[in-house]
Amino acid sequence: MSGRKESILKAAERSFALFGYKGTTMDQVAKIANVGKGTIYTFFKNKEELFNEIIDQFIQRMKVIAEAAIDENDPFFVNLHRALYEILSFRKEHQFTIKITQEVKEFGTLPAKQALGKFEDAILSFLEKHIQLAIDKGELVKCDPKLTAFVMLRLYIAIVFEWEQRHEPLDKEEIASLFDLYFANGLEKNKKTC
Amino acid sequence: MSGRKESILKAAERSFALFGYKGTTMDQVAKIANVGKGTIYTFFKNKEELFNEIIDQFIQRMKVIAEAAIDENDPFFVNLHRALYEILSFRKEHQFTIKITQEVKEFGTLPAKQALGKFEDAILSFLEKHIQLAIDKGELVKCDPKLTAFVMLRLYIAIVFEWEQRHEPLDKEEIASLFDLYFANGLEKNKKTC
DNA sequence: AACTGACTAAATGACTATATTGGTCAATAA
DNA sequence: TTATTGACCAATATAGTCATTTAGTCAGTT
């Protein structure tokens, strides 16, 4: 019969999403996937590689969502906000990343940490690409795209997730206008030469 | 004899700085301070209160350093950078905060967590005050001072500490010009009406 | 040739014995 | 009488143990 690899991946994703990396056993994955445990090892070198394959799949899906949020005709900051919002909502709501994030906080499981690192790298390289495009188009002032991507993501996470840990959460429109205020226009009064 | 409370505080600060909250024992503090253990409890209700008194002292010193960095005649962003740099350098280099930060990461010790929270709150209220002043002076556009303080601190920490975890660290001048670029002037080209 | 699950060595974690620690208070010193 | 002390105690943390679980293998089955 075919589809063995797919059913293993499906079962593993489900288990990782429910129980995390540590909490998932290969026996359990085999059982859910209705295969012998040995079969898993014909497709994946070990538990970590199975986990990584699922992460890579997940990142692929994230990329599709991010690119779908970009409209060539819209200005950079509109696209930026839409894309970041979609990506981070997706991440935040998806059981898989919730569980992995929790596991990193609670146990510091190394493969889970590396997974979050991969997510961040994917987001950063997506941002970097679009920042470079915006600079080329003349929409943004000249700046280091890598550093700018890093700062933008950090700022966005601060506004969207960290602020609401101690204050009233901000809605989508507020976030967009804050991003404009802080990042697009700048806070200084009457400085820019036009 | 007098100076008992002071010598307890001194001994405790030294021990907390060397061994963290968990790693510090009341027996040890008593020994270093050359007092009987019971004496500590005549001045402090318990270990946590002793710890808090030291934190409050530390924050006081931080405040002095921060205010000293402010020069009424300089523009807001010059003062901001100078003050944040001084505060965060002070924190970064001081054995006490190094140890506490490490302890929070490693064990999540609650009193240590609360201590870091207090540090952050102190910095935030300092920033908030000076942002409000700058708005009143007409140096900054109108914005929520609390939220702006929060975002500025986050951005600053990202640039100064988090960036260097995976890249070449930025020097003082670079940091200042980045802060100007991202925050004072904004990234958008030819948008501001003058 | 593809697949399986009993098997093994290694890792885990429940359990317990032991040691340490925060806090108290009767005894002591001033 | 008042301030100080350190032996003491209950609570907690640590170290050591061992039965259980788990990742990964491989001889045997389909």
Side-chain angles (χ1 to χ4, degrees):
Chain A
M1 235 295 280
S2 81
R4 295 189 112 65
K5 188 174 178 183
E6 279 64 33
S7 71
I8 291 168
L9 280 168
K10 213 172 186 177
E13 179 170 0
R14 189 175 159 69
S15 182
F16 284 130
L18 282 171
F19 310 112
Y21 183 83
K22 266 181 41 142
T24 292
T25 70
M26 297 302 261
D27 277 303
Q28 195 183 39
V29 172
K31 211 179 210 173
I32 300 176
N34 259 91
V35 293
K37 191 164 57 154
T39 309
I40 299 176
Y41 289 88
T42 65
F43 293 111
F44 307 96
K45 209 177 82 225
N46 52 33
K47 188 181 179 181
E48 205 165 328
E49 206 173 78
L50 171 60
F51 184 59
N52 280 325
E53 202 132 330
I54 284 162
I55 289 163
D56 291 342
Q57 275 192 3
F58 197 84
I59 288 176
Q60 283 311 313
R61 273 185 270 161
M62 240 171 52
K63 275 191 181 160
V64 171
I65 286 168
E67 291 293 355
I70 301 290
D71 181 337
E72 291 283 330
N73 303 313
D74 282 332
F76 173 78
F77 277 98
V78 172
N79 279 328
L80 175 71
H81 174 55
R82 199 161 45 211
L84 278 176
Y85 195 87
E86 291 292 324
I87 295 170
L88 296 177
S89 299
F90 176 62
R91 272 197 50 179
K92 197 187 180 185
E93 281 155 31
H94 212 289
Q95 179 65 29
F96 185 68
T97 46
I98 295 172
K99 192 68 205 177
I100 296 306
T101 307
Q102 184 204 321
E103 195 177 348
V104 170
K105 267 194 212 145
E106 195 163 353
F107 307 109
T109 321
L110 190 65
K113 253 187 199 160
Q114 291 168 338
L116 292 188
K118 270 196 182 182
F119 289 149
E120 186 169 314
D121 285 347
I123 297 173
L124 285 176
S125 73
F126 170 83
L127 287 179
E128 190 183 333
K129 188 180 86 184
H130 285 281
I131 288 166
Q132 186 62 63
L133 282 172
I135 294 171
D136 294 344
K137 266 197 196 171
E139 276 196 273
L140 288 188
V141 297
K142 258 194 188 173
C143 58
D144 177 355
K146 210 181 268 298
L147 179 56
T148 305
F150 177 76
V151 169
M152 279 187 179
L153 181 56
R154 275 281 163 306
L155 186 64
Y156 207 85
I157 288 172
I159 292 176
V160 175
F161 298 115
E162 290 171 17
W163 174 257
E164 77 177 40
Q165 279 172 21
R166 310 170 111 250
H167 304 83
E168 278 294 295
L170 304 157
D171 67 38
K172 231 178 144 172
E173 278 73 34
E174 281 177 301
I175 292 167
S177 70
L178 282 170
F179 220 64
D180 274 0
L181 173 65
Y182 293 131
F183 237 137
N185 299 324
L187 286 170
E188 205 159 42
K189 239 181 180 173
N190 311 318
K191 195 70 182 291
K192 203 169 242 175
T193 48
C194 296
Chain B
M1 237 296 280
S2 80
R4 295 190 112 63
K5 189 175 178 182
E6 279 65 34
S7 72
I8 292 168
L9 279 169
K10 211 173 185 176
E13 179 170 1
R14 188 176 159 69
S15 182
F16 283 131
L18 283 172
F19 311 111
Y21 183 84
K22 267 181 40 142
T24 292
T25 70
M26 296 303 260
D27 278 301
Q28 197 183 36
V29 172
K31 211 178 212 173
I32 300 175
N34 259 90
V35 292
K37 190 164 58 155
T39 309
I40 299 175
Y41 289 87
T42 64
F43 294 111
F44 307 95
K45 212 176 80 226
N46 53 35
K47 188 181 181 181
E48 205 165 328
E49 207 173 77
L50 171 60
F51 184 61
N52 280 325
E53 203 132 329
I54 285 163
I55 290 162
D56 290 342
Q57 275 191 3
F58 196 83
I59 289 175
Q60 283 311 312
R61 272 185 270 160
M62 238 170 53
K63 274 190 182 160
V64 171
I65 287 168
E67 291 293 353
I70 301 290
D71 181 337
E72 291 284 329
N73 303 313
D74 282 333
F76 174 78
F77 277 99
V78 172
N79 279 328
L80 176 72
H81 174 56
R82 199 162 44 211
L84 277 177
Y85 195 87
E86 290 292 323
I87 296 170
L88 296 177
S89 299
F90 177 61
R91 271 196 50 181
K92 196 187 181 186
E93 280 156 32
H94 212 291
Q95 179 66 27
F96 184 66
T97 47
I98 294 172
K99 193 68 204 177
I100 297 305
T101 307
Q102 185 204 320
E103 195 176 347
V104 169
K105 266 193 213 145
E106 194 162 353
F107 307 108
T109 320
L110 190 65
K113 252 186 199 162
Q114 291 168 337
L116 291 187
K118 270 194 181 183
F119 289 148
E120 186 170 313
D121 285 347
I123 298 173
L124 285 176
S125 73
F126 170 83
L127 287 178
E128 189 183 334
K129 188 179 87 185
H130 286 281
I131 289 166
Q132 185 62 62
L133 282 170
I135 295 171
D136 294 344
K137 268 198 194 168
E139 278 197 90
L140 288 188
V141 298
K142 259 194 189 171
C143 59
D144 176 355
K146 210 181 268 299
L147 180 55
T148 304
F150 175 76
V151 169
M152 279 185 181
L153 181 56
R154 275 282 164 305
L155 184 65
Y156 207 86
I157 288 172
I159 292 177
V160 176
F161 298 115
E162 290 171 15
W163 174 257
E164 76 176 42
Q165 279 172 22
R166 308 172 110 249
H167 304 84
E168 278 295 294
L170 304 157
D171 67 39
K172 231 179 146 172
E173 278 72 34
E174 281 177 302
I175 292 167
S177 70
L178 283 170
F179 218 66
D180 275 0
L181 172 66
Y182 292 133
F183 237 136
N185 300 324
L187 286 170
E188 206 159 42
K189 240 180 178 173
N190 311 317
K191 195 71 181 290
K192 202 170 244 174
T193 48
C194 297

